[in-house]
Amino acid sequence: MGFVLGWKWTGLRLALGIPLVFGTGYLISRMARASEVAALRTQLSQVIAESAPESPSIRGWLTRFAQLVIGLIPEYLILVLILGATRAWLFPIAGPAVGNDLQWIALMSAAGLLFVIPTAGEVPIVQAMLALGVGAGPAAALMMTLPPISLPSLAMMGKVLSMRVLGVISLVVFLTGIAAGLLAILLNF
């Protein structure tokens, strides 16, 4: 990242990313109700008891892997296809018209929460947007919000985590994106 976008972008990512990860984890652990933790422990122990064979084998692993794939891949593909179809509508302009206004930063921060981008996949996206003249604020907001979560990951985690927890995670990532955008403007990126 430092070689492509520069070391100041890397510093911004680290300065906000480390507190994002550890702070959100701490916040969620403090929010967890005792009943939710107990329910998760019970659910986990049941899953382990049901899936643990007498002796581990490749066949058992493949069976469990196939069950996971059958359950998650269709949901993931449908959400990714829907997001791909709406991409042109969500990002109609990518150029100098996308300035450093707070509404553009908030919009890019919100859009970054939706899409599935692997870590480091946001670097060429941000680089291309900057080359097209997009302001540093919206680019920084995308840089911080694209990798941590996405709509498909939230949907899959909704089977394990409560809506309250998912909402807090989304809000923290969204606000971190806005903070990144404002810092990029303040520091003259």
Side-chain angles (χ1 to χ4, degrees), residues 5 8-9 12 100 130 135-137 140 180-189:
L5 290 176
K8 60 185 177 182
W9 287 90
L12 179 66
N100 284 324
L130 290 170
L182 294 175
L183 280 171
I185 295 168
L186 182 69
L187 300 173
N188 295 318
F189 278 32

Side-chain angles (χ1 to χ4, degrees), residues 128-139:
M129 291 182 81
L130 290 170
L132 291 170
V134 170

Side-chain angles (χ1 to χ4, degrees), residues 63-104:
T63 301
R64 286 188 297 282
F65 180 73
Q67 290 170 344
L68 185 64
V69 167
I70 290 168
L72 292 178
I73 295 295
E75 175 182 27
Y76 181 82
L77 288 176
I78 290 168
L79 286 169
V80 169
L81 286 172
I82 290 169
L83 287 171
T86 62
R87 183 198 54 81
W89 176 72
L90 288 171
F91 296 107
I93 309 168
V98 181
N100 284 324
D101 301 328
L102 182 59
Q103 53 267 38
W104 278 116

Side-chain angles (χ1 to χ4, degrees), residues 4 16 27 72 162:
V4 176
L16 292 175
L27 180 63
L72 292 178
S162 70

Side-chain angles (χ1 to χ4, degrees), residues 83-144:
L83 287 171
T86 62
R87 183 198 54 81
W89 176 72
L90 288 171
F91 296 107
I93 309 168
V98 181
N100 284 324
D101 301 328
L102 182 59
Q103 53 267 38
W104 278 116
I105 294 170
L107 179 66
M108 292 300 170
S109 188
L113 298 175
L114 300 175
F115 290 91
V116 178
I117 302 292
T119 301
E122 74 283 357
V123 175
I125 294 170
V126 169
Q127 183 183 27
M129 291 182 81
L130 290 170
L132 291 170
V134 170
L142 271 178
M143 179 186 71
M144 289 305 297

Side-chain angles (χ1 to χ4, degrees), residues 127-158:
Q127 183 183 27
M129 291 182 81
L130 290 170
L132 291 170
V134 170
L142 271 178
M143 179 186 71
M144 289 305 297
T145 59
L146 279 171
I149 61 174
S150 66
L151 186 60
S153 69
L154 289 172
M156 288 186 276
M157 292 306 297

